[in-house]
Amino acid sequence: MAEGDNRSTNLLAAETASLEEQLQGWGEVMLMADKVLRWERAWFPPAIVGVVSLVFLTIYYLDPSVLSGVSCFVMFLCLADYLVPILAPRIFGSNKWTTEQQQRFHEICSNLVKTRRRAVGWWKRLFTLKEEKPKMYFMTMIISLAAVAWVGQQVHNLLLTYLIVTFLLLLPGLNQHGIISKYIGMAKREINKLLKQKEKKHE
């Protein structure tokens, strides 16, 4: 068991070091984005919502086709991948990189690796479910996809995408400030109250 844990830890460290090397040119940008997403200042949440709203209003106004939208998005990613490593050190100043910043960059890369591992783990579990319990797998997939299709039919695609993107960008800050855990705790308490009331009625 200990050998397995050590092997997993070593593999995580190796993957994190590899990712750090790949994203080294994005270090300053990632640290700045991390501060914004974790709401280190009170005006960051409305700024996130404002920027996302502006982007989606622009898309709504231009009304590009799917092919044009995908092409522009990929072109933006290519430009960012080329320009960010060149411009970031000049804008932020690479000589100001401190031990604390390096540690935070390491934590961000470690969290990204863990997130990727969780996603791969869920993907593998899905295929394990398909092999072990095919009926449950197909029923779950059909019901889930039908629900998603129904929601997509009821809500405009762009509005739905806007809501999802906004929520995902606000999620790190919501977690950091304990807002999600607070409301989950409230929901659990309300559910427990309802269950206790039902038990009393049955008695």
Side-chain angles (χ1 to χ4, degrees), residues 8-31:
S8 178
T9 303
N10 293 335
L11 185 60
L12 176 63
E15 290 179 12
T16 302
S18 175
L19 186 62
E20 283 183 35
E21 186 178 351
Q22 293 172 18
L23 298 177
Q24 196 63 47
W26 286 75
E28 293 87 353
V29 176
M30 290 176 66
L31 288 175

Side-chain angles (χ1 to χ4, degrees), residues 178-195:
I179 297 172
I180 289 180
S181 58
K182 174 185 173 183
Y183 283 101
I184 288 176
M186 289 172 61
K188 286 180 179 178
R189 285 193 294 271
E190 291 299 323
I191 291 170
N192 289 332
K193 285 180 183 178
L194 291 172
L195 292 174

Side-chain angles (χ1 to χ4, degrees), residues 115-127:
T115 302
R116 183 176 63 188
R117 281 186 164 194
R118 288 193 197 102
V120 172
W122 279 106
W123 188 256
K124 288 180 179 178
R125 286 191 194 99
L126 192 63
F127 280 94

Side-chain angles (χ1 to χ4, degrees), residues 90-108:
R90 299 178 183 179
I91 296 172
F92 297 100
S94 57
N95 57 332
K96 297 178 182 178
W97 194 261
T98 63
T99 306
E100 184 181 351
Q101 288 174 317
Q102 182 62 43
Q103 179 62 31
R104 183 58 195 160
F105 178 62
H106 175 77
E107 290 173 3
I108 293 170

Side-chain angles (χ1 to χ4, degrees):
M1 186 71 177
E3 289 183 7
D5 291 341
N6 289 334
R7 188 177 301 171
S8 178
T9 303
N10 293 335
L11 185 60
L12 176 63
E15 290 179 12
T16 302
S18 175
L19 186 62
E20 283 183 35
E21 186 178 351
Q22 293 172 18
L23 298 177
Q24 196 63 47
W26 286 75
E28 293 87 353
V29 176
M30 290 176 66
L31 288 175
M32 180 59 66
D34 177 64
K35 291 179 180 179
V36 174
L37 293 175
R38 289 190 297 116
W39 305 357
E40 287 198 358
R41 296 188 181 180
W43 57 271
F44 282 161
I48 292 171
V49 175
V51 170
V52 174
S53 301
L54 180 62
V55 170
F56 275 85
L57 282 172
T58 305
I59 295 171
Y60 177 75
Y61 176 75
L62 295 175
D63 193 22
S65 65
V66 175
L67 186 60
S68 298
V70 171
S71 298
C72 290
F73 180 70
V74 174
M75 182 174 61
F76 173 78
L77 290 180
C78 291
L79 285 171
D81 186 49
Y82 175 74
L83 293 174
V84 167
I86 297 172
L87 298 177
R90 299 178 183 179
I91 296 172
F92 297 100
S94 57
N95 57 332
K96 297 178 182 178
W97 194 261
T98 63
T99 306
E100 184 181 351
Q101 288 174 317
Q102 182 62 43
Q103 179 62 31
R104 183 58 195 160
F105 178 62
H106 175 77
E107 290 173 3
I108 293 170
C109 290
S110 179
N111 289 334
L112 289 173
V113 170
K114 290 175 183 176
T115 302
R116 183 176 63 188
R117 281 186 164 194
R118 288 193 197 102
V120 172
W122 279 106
W123 188 256
K124 288 180 179 178
R125 286 191 194 99
L126 192 63
F127 280 94
T128 302
L129 180 65
K130 180 183 177 182
E131 292 174 0
E132 295 179 354
K133 299 178 180 179
K135 291 181 180 179
M136 182 182 291
Y137 166 79
F138 284 113
M139 285 298 294
T140 304
M141 292 299 294
I142 288 170
I143 292 171
S144 301
L145 293 172
V148 171
W150 181 82
V151 171
Q153 189 67 25
Q154 301 301 315
V155 185
H156 191 278
N157 289 334
L158 192 61
L159 176 60
L160 189 60
T161 307
Y162 166 75
L163 294 174
I164 292 171
V165 170
T166 303
F167 174 74
L168 290 176
L169 291 176
L170 292 176
L171 186 59
L174 292 170
N175 279 327
Q176 179 72 19
H177 292 269
I179 297 172
I180 289 180
S181 58
K182 174 185 173 183
Y183 283 101
I184 288 176
M186 289 172 61
K188 286 180 179 178
R189 285 193 294 271
E190 291 299 323
I191 291 170
N192 289 332
K193 285 180 183 178
L194 291 172
L195 292 174
K196 287 179 181 178
Q197 288 176 2
K198 285 184 178 181
E199 288 176 0
K200 288 180 180 178
K201 287 180 180 179
H202 287 301
E203 290 175 358

